[in-house]
Amino acid sequence: MEPPSPAAFSRLSFVQWEFNNVRRLITRPILSLLKTAGWELRKALPVGERRLLEYKKRMRDSWGCLKEYHPGTVLDIGANEGQFAGLIREFLPGAKIVSFEPLKSCFETLQSKQAELAPSLAFHTALGSEPGTATINRSAFTPSSSLLPMGSLHKVELPHTAESVQEEIVISRLDDILNDLELEEPILMKIDVQGFEEQVLLGAEQTLQKVIAVVVEVSAQPLYEGEPGFDRIYEIMKSHGFAYCGNVDQWRNKKSGHILQFDCLFENRNLRPQS
């Protein structure tokens, strides 16, 4: 059998074709014998593709718990190029995703994905406690970009993120933007803004009253200069009636195993009373 045209198939599809073709050459008795002996025939993926699939599975397993809130709206604060939106869309197909991203190039990429992320809406702005403009440190690795200076530990852990240029951006208050929108509840909020979490929350006090759960990325060790730690984020969330419910995901130092960042889950006890 001739292999399919490389132009018509992705690399992953071609590997699948190779596996299926080999399997056809192996008779059922041999397969049965292998199964009896405890062996199973599986396709072997290149290391890079296998790691990508493993990473996607881990992310689905970690973040799939958010399904239990049955949100009508998901607020993706610090959307970058829509990575979280794409993940959440897999298990929340009907929720409206409202994204916020300040970097010009990342927002353009995010906009190009709006059809596949629909129903969705994207705003080209950062979020903070006061509206205005500011200069962001745009990292060579854009997810590490921050309105705060990057700390030395971050540069040591992720040296490819250290190089940066400055970019002028707009800052808005979440309460001001959502005041003109009608959002279907329950509302789920995710905040990933590299050290600017406190300012986002201070500009979202009215919105938090309507949010059933919030996932906030927090540093366990200082990665950006002046960023709030867990104690400060917990204090803010508790003052709005939220309870800390554990971590959705976390990032460890590969050598020492120390936790560097973690995604904290908070539930609004006014909307979801503890049983």
Side-chain angles (χ1 to χ4, degrees):
M1 178 181 290
E2 289 296 321
S5 165
F9 287 80
S10 66
R11 172 61 185 160
L12 192 59
S13 298
F14 189 76
V15 171
Q16 179 68 58
W17 177 88
E18 289 178 318
F19 171 73
N20 290 338
N21 199 31
V22 170
R23 186 170 184 136
R24 291 190 190 97
L25 300 178
I26 300 178
T27 62
R28 288 184 179 179
I30 294 178
L31 288 174
S32 298
L33 181 61
L34 289 173
K35 186 175 182 179
T36 302
W39 292 80
E40 184 178 355
L41 182 64
R42 294 183 180 179
K43 60 181 178 292
L45 292 174
V47 175
E49 291 176 6
R50 186 172 69 251
R51 287 178 178 173
L52 178 60
L53 291 176
E54 290 172 351
Y55 171 76
K56 288 183 175 180
K57 181 181 184 303
R58 183 179 70 81
M59 293 297 286
R60 285 193 295 268
D61 291 344
S62 297
W63 293 85
C65 64
L66 301 181
K67 290 186 294 185
E68 70 172 281
Y69 298 106
H70 306 288
T73 303
V74 177
L75 303 179
D76 183 7
I77 302 171
N80 197 248
E81 296 181 350
Q83 297 93 324
F84 173 76
L87 171 67
I88 207 81
R89 178 55 76 222
E90 291 186 26
F91 47 82
L92 292 175
K96 183 173 184 178
I97 301 175
V98 183
S99 302
F100 303 86
E101 172 54 41
L103 294 177
K104 183 176 183 295
S105 63
C106 294
F107 180 75
E108 289 173 349
T109 300
L110 177 63
Q111 268 196 315
S112 71
K113 298 178 180 179
Q114 289 306 290
E116 62 188 79
L117 294 175
S120 61
L121 182 63
F123 291 90
H124 185 199
T125 184
L127 295 179
S129 59
E130 296 294 337
T133 59
T135 301
I136 193 171
N137 302 298
R138 187 185 190 280
S139 170
F141 179 63
T142 57
S144 294
S145 302
S146 176
L147 282 156
L148 304 179
M150 184 180 290
S152 58
L153 178 61
H154 196 299
K155 295 176 182 178
V156 170
E157 293 291 340
L158 297 173
H160 64 285
T161 69
E163 184 179 347
S164 67
V165 295
Q166 294 188 328
E167 181 176 326
E168 293 298 313
I169 63 168
V170 172
I171 299 180
S172 308
R173 294 176 71 254
L174 183 61
D175 283 346
D176 294 340
I177 292 178
L178 299 189
N179 189 49
D180 297 326
L181 294 179
E182 290 188 10
L183 300 180
E184 182 180 347
E185 300 179 16
I187 298 173
L188 176 70
M189 181 189 295
K190 161 261 181 185
I191 306 175
D192 182 359
V193 290
Q194 309 305 309
F196 213 62
E197 299 81 15
E198 179 176 358
Q199 300 306 313
V200 171
L201 292 169
L202 292 177
E205 294 185 338
Q206 296 176 17
T207 302
L208 286 172
Q209 298 174 23
K210 306 173 185 177
V211 173
I212 192 169
V214 181
V215 179
V216 189
E217 184 184 71
V218 178
S219 294
Q221 300 186 48
L223 299 175
Y224 296 91
E225 297 178 14
E227 68 179 321
F230 174 80
D231 289 348
R232 177 55 181 155
I233 297 301
Y234 175 76
E235 178 185 347
I236 295 173
M237 298 306 294
K238 186 177 180 180
S239 71
H240 288 284
F242 285 79
Y244 171 62
C245 296
N247 301 336
V248 176
D249 199 6
Q250 59 189 21
W251 167 38
R252 291 180 179 271
N253 177 302
K254 291 183 179 180
K255 292 183 179 180
S256 68
H258 291 157
I259 297 172
L260 299 173
Q261 277 184 335
F262 47 99
D263 296 292
C264 305
L265 175 63
F266 294 90
E267 282 188 357
N268 190 336
R269 293 311 190 200
N270 296 321
L271 300 180
R272 189 180 170 92
Q274 197 166 18
S275 57

